[in-house]
Amino acid sequence: MFAGPPDHLPQSLAFLLLPQFSLMAFASAVEPLRAANRLAGRPLYSWEVLGPDARPVVASNGVAIPPDRAITDVTRHPCIVVCGGYGMQAFDDPRTLAALRRLARTGTIMGAISTASYVLARAGLLAGRRCTIHWENLDSFRQDWPDLNVTDDLYEIDGPVFTCSGGTAAMDLMLHLIVAQHGHGLAAAVSDQFIHQAIRESRQRQRMATGRRLGTGNPTLMAIVDLMEQNIEAPLGRHDIAERAGLSERQVERLFARELAVSPRRYYFQLRLERADALLRQTAMPILDVALATGFVSASHFAKSYRSHFGRTPRQRRAEARLNLPAPPHIRPHEGSDPRIDRADESV
């Protein structure tokens, strides 16, 4: 499909929408195809919408889209793109998974957008293939599927299976398809239609660059934050961080105070708690394992720290996640407040 011009036109795709799917990712995938048809002046692509059954599928923002038919009614299809969103790690509908496996055996090209990689993994369609998923789910996906070859690329194409991190990366994936099938000129014109200034390659990073996320151009600060993000399970001590940055501990303190108005200790601690929150929401890991995976020495200390930061306990957050409730607002104590941090368990 991504290797060259299609054998016939229009190229047919089906988008399988699952409950709580990301409307942004779905629109980013289907709209470039519509624009390609319009700009080419002929139908290069056709598509239909599928659902687990005949009922309207509700997106994560509450918009309901009625499917053209149920996935279980499809006997053959050239390409099916599964669109995920909230709660895909718990999606385990036997009829849908069986239908995907059956279609894959007939030669259907299978794709997953956003968190739908969970669904293809559960269907057994990602074994032995490179795959990716939305950056927020990377850690939990790797925890749940340790044998898979998971990358943090925008999208992965491996034989008859492709996966995409979601959001606007779905547009880059479809632009890549248009380049392969109809040339760069048409893809560039489609990209222009959406004021999408560059067709990103698959290897480009998903997340905004560290400096842009932090609102700083200081290379030393960016390097320290990257170092912290890479060492969550076994947090580095303040001396190690300062030494790797080529600064004194006092210089690191001043750098964080000037650029981020927070101490490096507090910033690192918040990174660990935010990673823990993602694991609570996205995996079934025992709370003790979540604590250990984010550098805490005990479940009790983790629970106290989590509640101080988020205003609820880890158990409450996990219960909310099962109901697909939104993540809680972050409660960030002022530097002068008592965040109940056990000094023995601090890293920085």
Side-chain angles (χ1 to χ4, degrees):
M1 183 174 180
F2 291 89
D7 295 332
H8 62 277
L9 295 177
Q11 180 83 38
S12 180
L13 299 91
F15 292 91
L16 172 59
L17 307 183
L18 299 180
Q20 296 292 299
F21 72 95
S22 165
L23 187 60
M24 167 66 85
F26 170 54
S28 294
V30 75
E31 280 294 282
L33 306 181
R34 176 196 61 79
N37 288 351
R38 186 174 75 83
L39 292 172
R42 58 194 177 116
L44 303 179
Y45 299 97
S46 65
W47 55 88
E48 63 177 321
V49 175
L50 307 175
D53 50 43
R55 293 174 295 180
V57 188
V58 181
S60 58
N61 62 1
V63 173
I65 296 182
D68 297 303
R69 53 179 171 157
I71 181 68
T72 50
D73 294 334
V74 180
T75 55
R76 297 187 73 87
H77 206 286
C79 176
I80 291 179
V81 185
V82 187
C83 300
Y86 290 151
M88 288 300 101
Q89 59 270 31
F91 184 85
D92 193 17
D93 177 49
R95 297 179 66 196
T96 299
L97 297 175
L100 291 173
R101 284 191 288 264
R102 171 176 51 79
L103 288 162
R105 288 194 296 269
T106 68
T108 298
I109 294 171
M110 288 289 175
I113 290 178
S114 188
T115 56
S117 297
Y118 277 111
V119 179
L120 293 195
R122 193 174 295 277
L125 302 180
L126 295 183
R129 302 192 183 280
R130 296 186 315 277
C131 59
T132 190
I133 198 168
H134 190 279
W135 63 264
E136 190 180 33
N137 300 83
L138 277 168
D139 290 323
S140 59
F141 190 60
R142 286 170 173 146
Q143 290 276 351
D144 288 345
W145 302 95
D147 295 331
L148 294 183
N149 183 7
V150 184
T151 78
D152 58 0
D153 290 351
L154 286 179
Y155 54 87
E156 285 285 0
I157 302 166
D158 192 344
V161 177
F162 61 90
T163 50
C164 176
S165 56
T168 58
M171 182 175 293
D172 296 291
L173 172 68
M174 291 304 170
L175 289 171
H176 179 74
L177 174 65
I178 295 168
V179 169
Q181 295 190 336
H182 303 288
H184 188 272
L186 178 60
V190 170
S191 184
D192 241 2
Q193 287 289 307
F194 298 104
I195 318 177
H196 191 66
Q197 296 185 0
I199 303 175
R200 293 178 293 178
E201 295 296 325
S202 64
R203 294 292 182 262
Q204 289 183 241
R205 58 191 300 171
Q206 289 188 33
R207 297 193 71 184
M208 186 183 294
T210 304
R212 294 182 65 186
R213 280 191 281 121
L214 298 176
T216 180
N218 188 296
T220 303
L221 177 65
M222 290 187 281
I224 293 174
V225 169
D226 285 340
L227 188 63
M228 290 176 172
E229 291 179 345
Q230 293 161 12
N231 292 273
I232 296 293
E233 184 172 355
L236 298 172
R238 66 186 72 187
H239 176 74
D240 290 333
I241 287 177
E243 186 175 53
R244 294 195 193 190
L247 301 174
S248 68
E249 293 178 29
R250 182 59 186 152
Q251 286 174 314
V252 173
E253 292 277 349
R254 287 198 295 264
L255 177 63
F256 271 75
R258 183 179 70 248
E259 298 286 340
L260 301 179
V262 68
S263 72
R265 171 184 58 79
R266 168 55 52 189
Y267 186 88
Y268 203 176
F269 200 65
Q270 289 173 174
L271 276 181
R272 292 163 54 200
L273 287 169
E274 287 161 4
R275 179 71 60 82
D277 182 62
L279 292 174
L280 288 170
R281 289 185 285 115
Q282 299 166 8
T283 75
M285 291 172 63
I287 290 175
L288 176 59
D289 289 353
V290 171
L292 296 175
T294 50
F296 291 89
V297 296
S298 70
S300 60
H301 171 52
F302 167 61
K304 290 178 182 178
S305 301
Y306 185 93
R307 183 170 186 171
S308 176
H309 187 69
F310 288 108
R312 66 203 71 195
T313 68
R315 292 188 185 280
Q316 288 171 327
R317 183 63 193 119
R318 174 148 284 167
E320 292 167 350
R322 292 194 183 105
L323 298 174
N324 287 325
L325 297 179
H330 292 176
I331 300 173
R332 299 188 182 279
H334 295 296
E335 283 298 297
S337 66
D338 176 15
R340 299 179 183 272
I341 299 177
D342 179 356
R343 297 289 192 234
D345 192 38
E346 285 185 53
S347 53
V348 177

